[in-house]
Amino acid sequence: MIKEKITQIKTFLKTLPNNQQVAEDLDYFTFLATLIPVPGYQQAALLVNKLVANHNLNLLITELRASIYQTNTRISTIENDVERIQSMATTVSAVSALDEKINLIIEQAQKELPSEFIVETEDWSTQTIINQIINADFTSVSANNNSHNRLQNVEINSQRTHLRATNHSSNFLQGTEFKDSTGSVGMNGITQQGNIQVTGNSVGFGEGGTLIFGNPNEVRGKCPTCNNVIVADRFELQRHSRIQCPGCRDIFNIILD
């Protein structure tokens, strides 16, 4: 697992706009990226590339690099890049002074970490978010294993939002707006399944990505007292045993087929 992460981070660092300092020692900056507590190798690589531009952090990073190579001169002779990076980790963990420098860098890096808003609903569960404004660099709304999320009158201000619904699950979006610095995308009365990425001006369809107009979980029934038609969400109803008619205000038991 760590070998795969090292390879992915190093490969991605090579694709970033030229940063001479990073390019001169990809192994060292890959090692730093493996320590960054963010999900995904791309985010870790991007953050390390960003940290180098911070003058005070760059001084700490440069000092740590020199200390590691001085402490273990064998590192520069190791031919395999994965073994070389793992040797850096072993060296740092064995020397308290180096470990303290790493902790200081990570502590400072935490201030640069992007904010996240995560909703995860699993195993026959339902979550509802109503009348909310979400401000985060990254937002993720996920439903799995016969589970459902309902977003109603929600404004999401994020550079990127990931919507995911798998294994007979769904995300229902009613009056929901996705905004970033480039614009906004609105979804009203739409059910989402599979994987979809949303920004302020685009909707990207990933594996199984689907948008269904309307709510397939909508159910209708007549009030036994006044015969008024009542419309409701099946998964909202499952959370209750009784319902009130909006017409005559009578309360009666819920029976779902």
Side-chain angles (χ1 to χ4, degrees):
M1 188 68 174
I2 186 62
K3 290 182 179 181
E4 181 182 355
K5 184 176 182 180
I6 287 172
T7 301
Q8 290 175 328
I9 290 174
K10 187 173 181 179
T11 300
F12 187 71
L13 277 173
K14 291 179 181 179
T15 68
L16 297 180
N18 289 337
N19 183 312
Q20 190 61 32
Q21 186 175 348
V22 173
E24 286 177 355
D25 196 343
L26 277 172
D27 289 334
Y28 172 65
F29 288 97
T30 298
F31 159 66
L32 280 185
T34 63
L35 305 177
I36 303 296
V38 295
Y41 67 91
Q42 292 182 344
Q43 292 90 330
L46 285 168
L47 184 54
V48 163
N49 203 49
K50 179 181 178 181
L51 295 180
V52 175
N54 182 311
H55 177 70
N56 291 331
L57 268 176
N58 197 2
L59 291 176
L60 292 174
I61 289 170
T62 302
E63 181 183 347
L64 174 65
R65 178 182 180 277
S67 298
I68 289 175
Y69 284 110
Q70 289 171 6
T71 302
N72 186 351
T73 56
R74 179 177 171 273
I75 290 175
S76 58
T77 67
I78 300 174
E79 294 184 3
N80 183 279
D81 57 350
V82 173
E83 291 180 6
R84 189 161 50 247
I85 292 167
Q86 289 178 323
S87 182
M88 292 181 193
T90 301
T91 302
V92 167
S93 63
V95 181
S96 59
L98 296 179
D99 192 46
E100 289 175 3
K101 289 179 181 179
I102 280 287
N103 290 334
L104 183 57
I105 291 173
I106 298 302
E107 180 182 328
Q108 294 298 313
Q110 295 275 12
K111 299 175 182 178
E112 304 285 341
L113 291 176
S115 59
E116 297 179 342
F117 182 86
I118 308 293
V119 177
E120 294 183 344
T121 308
E122 297 182 329
D123 301 329
W124 298 85
S125 300
T126 301
Q127 290 197 68
T128 302
I129 302 175
I130 301 176
N131 300 329
Q132 296 290 323
I133 297 177
I134 298 168
N135 294 297
D137 294 309
F138 171 71
T139 297
S140 173
V141 179
S142 175
N144 183 46
N145 190 20
N146 296 279
S147 297
H148 305 274
N149 293 308
R150 183 184 181 93
L151 277 65
Q152 184 174 335
N153 298 328
V154 175
E155 179 182 306
I156 299 176
N157 299 295
S158 292
Q159 296 174 13
R160 180 169 57 93
T161 299
H162 182 204
L163 301 175
R164 177 176 178 269
T166 57
N167 192 14
H168 309 293
S169 301
S170 68
N171 294 310
F172 180 62
L173 308 153
Q174 180 74 41
T176 299
E177 193 168 14
F178 304 86
K179 294 183 176 181
D180 64 15
S181 58
T182 63
S184 65
V185 170
M187 295 188 187
N188 191 30
I190 291 178
T191 297
Q192 180 270 326
Q193 295 176 329
N195 288 273
I196 286 179
Q197 300 278 355
V198 186
T199 66
N201 62 3
S202 67
V203 177
F205 290 81
E207 183 179 357
T210 304
L211 293 178
I212 303 168
F213 290 91
N215 182 4
N217 301 316
E218 183 178 277
V219 293
R220 295 171 177 263
K222 290 186 177 181
C223 171
T225 302
C226 68
N227 217 33
N228 180 57
V229 176
I230 301 172
V231 181
D233 185 285
R234 174 182 293 274
F235 297 100
E236 284 295 311
L237 291 178
Q238 288 176 346
R239 301 167 57 190
H240 307 279
S241 60
R242 311 194 75 191
I243 189 172
Q244 183 177 51
C245 173
C248 66
R249 314 303 291 179
D250 271 7
I251 298 175
F252 51 91
N253 292 331
I254 298 172
I255 300 175
L256 292 174
D257 295 332

